[in-house]
Amino acid sequence: MTHNPLVWLGLGGVAPDDNAVAHDWQRRLHWIMVAIALMSVPAYLLATADLGLVWQRISSFLDVVILVGFFAELVWMMRVSSFPARYLFENWLNVVIILGAAAAALGAATDWIAIVRAMRAAVAVLVVVRTTAEMRFLFTRRGAPMLIGVAFLTILTLGALFYWLDPGIKSFWEGLWLAFITGATVGYGDIVPTTGATRLLAALTVLIGVAFMTLFTANVVTFFIGGEETRNRESLQRDVVALRGEIELLLDAEELRLTLELHKEIRDLRQELAALRAEIRSLSPPPKDLDA
């Protein structure tokens, strides 16, 4: 069983000791599932804005896409995983999202509209949580520029939604200002949401803003801690390289010493062999003369 803390949030993903095929499919489906998860935000906003039957149908269609996408991913990943039951247990958030999306999609036309909208809000929050977990690189030093870009695009999108949904907001810039002060939890009060849909959007903006501020704080901490770790790692690598160089020098010196000793022993052996031959010749009798 893995000790990944994301398991408790139902976001364990593929276990480290699972097979290579499961890990490969997780990488392939990463951005597809992020895109499907982000559909929950417009689906929720369209369902609560009371813009007309057409937009309600679009919202229901997005709910169906979310339902089918998460269900297909869950079934497929359990099929390719070496531990399907374990995958299901460690990714229980997918099951909750599937049930919530199914309730929202099937109950959009019923009289239980308040419960359906609450279910939509819960699903939106859950899939945003999953999407954030899928973007783990945002918590690293290299993810800081991407985090800034994502925050900027999010503020632009929320500003446009405020301008579109609230008749009291007269321009895109007012919607953008409302999105910024709401996400930053400042709330000057000069511009406020006046409809139920924009108030719900404002609540979601607060949650998104707090999440981004938390990520920015984590990135700042990672920058300083990571810099110290990088310097220590570079120092350790330099020490390892220097140690390898010293070992190579010692090995070369030892090899040279052994080679010289071997050559000396070979020379001594040759001299002893030559002396032995000379001694044998001196002791052997001279050859007899056959004519005599």
Side-chain angles (χ1 to χ4, degrees):
M1 183 68 66
T2 179
H3 295 285
N4 185 358
L6 290 176
V7 170
W8 299 104
L9 299 176
L11 298 166
V14 176
D17 56 344
D18 211 329
N19 64 76
V21 175
H23 284 279
D24 182 58
W25 273 105
Q26 181 173 251
R27 287 190 295 269
R28 291 184 184 184
L29 297 174
H30 172 78
W31 290 110
I32 297 175
M33 297 310 301
V34 168
I36 294 176
L38 291 176
M39 290 180 184
S40 63
V41 177
Y44 172 68
L45 294 175
L46 292 175
T48 55
D50 296 327
L51 298 175
L53 182 60
V54 175
W55 294 108
Q56 289 286 341
R57 289 178 177 176
I58 294 175
S59 174
S60 298
F61 173 76
L62 293 178
D63 284 328
V64 172
V65 172
I66 295 170
L67 171 61
V68 173
F70 275 89
F71 181 77
E73 185 220 17
L74 180 62
V75 172
W76 178 253
M77 292 306 299
M78 290 180 63
R79 182 178 181 276
V80 298
S81 174
S82 299
F83 316 103
R86 175 179 170 187
Y87 181 86
L88 179 64
F89 175 76
E90 295 183 351
N91 294 273
W92 56 265
L93 181 61
N94 286 357
V95 180
V96 177
I97 292 174
I98 291 170
L99 295 177
L106 298 176
T110 66
D111 295 333
W112 300 85
I113 206 69
I115 298 177
V116 171
R117 288 181 175 180
M119 182 63 72
R120 288 180 186 273
V123 172
V125 172
L126 291 176
V127 293
V128 168
V129 169
R130 166 167 169 157
T131 304
T132 305
E134 292 286 350
M135 298 181 179
R136 294 181 180 91
F137 67 94
L138 293 178
F139 294 89
T140 64
R141 298 179 69 192
R142 294 181 179 180
M146 178 64 73
L147 178 62
I148 295 174
V150 170
F152 180 73
L153 292 176
T154 302
I155 291 297
L156 289 179
T157 303
L158 291 171
L161 289 173
F162 276 120
Y163 173 55
W164 179 44
L165 296 174
D166 198 323
I169 299 175
K170 304 303 181 183
S171 68
F172 169 72
W173 299 108
E174 288 186 357
L176 189 62
W177 175 246
L178 178 60
F180 177 76
I181 62 177
T182 304
T185 65
V186 177
Y188 289 114
D190 52 345
I191 301 176
V192 296
T194 59
T195 65
T198 50
R199 287 169 182 166
L200 291 172
L201 180 59
L204 182 62
T205 304
V206 171
L207 296 177
I208 294 174
V210 171
F212 274 120
M213 287 189 289
T214 303
L215 289 175
F216 277 120
T217 304
N219 264 277
V220 171
V221 174
T222 303
F223 177 80
F224 290 104
I225 297 178
E228 183 66 25
E229 290 181 353
T230 301
R231 287 190 293 270
N232 292 335
R233 191 181 302 111
E234 291 175 350
S235 177
L236 180 60
Q237 289 177 347
R238 288 193 297 268
D239 293 341
V240 170
V241 171
L243 181 60
R244 287 178 177 175
E246 293 177 1
I247 292 175
E248 290 177 357
L249 290 176
L250 290 174
L251 291 176
D252 292 341
E254 182 67 16
E255 183 178 359
L256 178 60
R257 185 183 66 81
L258 292 175
T259 302
L260 293 176
E261 290 182 355
L262 181 60
H263 287 172
K264 182 177 180 300
E265 291 178 357
I266 291 174
R267 287 196 302 270
D268 293 342
L269 182 59
R270 287 176 177 175
Q271 291 175 0
E272 292 178 1
L273 289 175
L276 183 59
R277 289 195 188 100
E279 184 177 354
I280 292 174
R281 289 195 189 98
S282 64
L283 294 176
S284 63
K288 297 181 179 180
D289 190 359
L290 296 177
D291 296 335

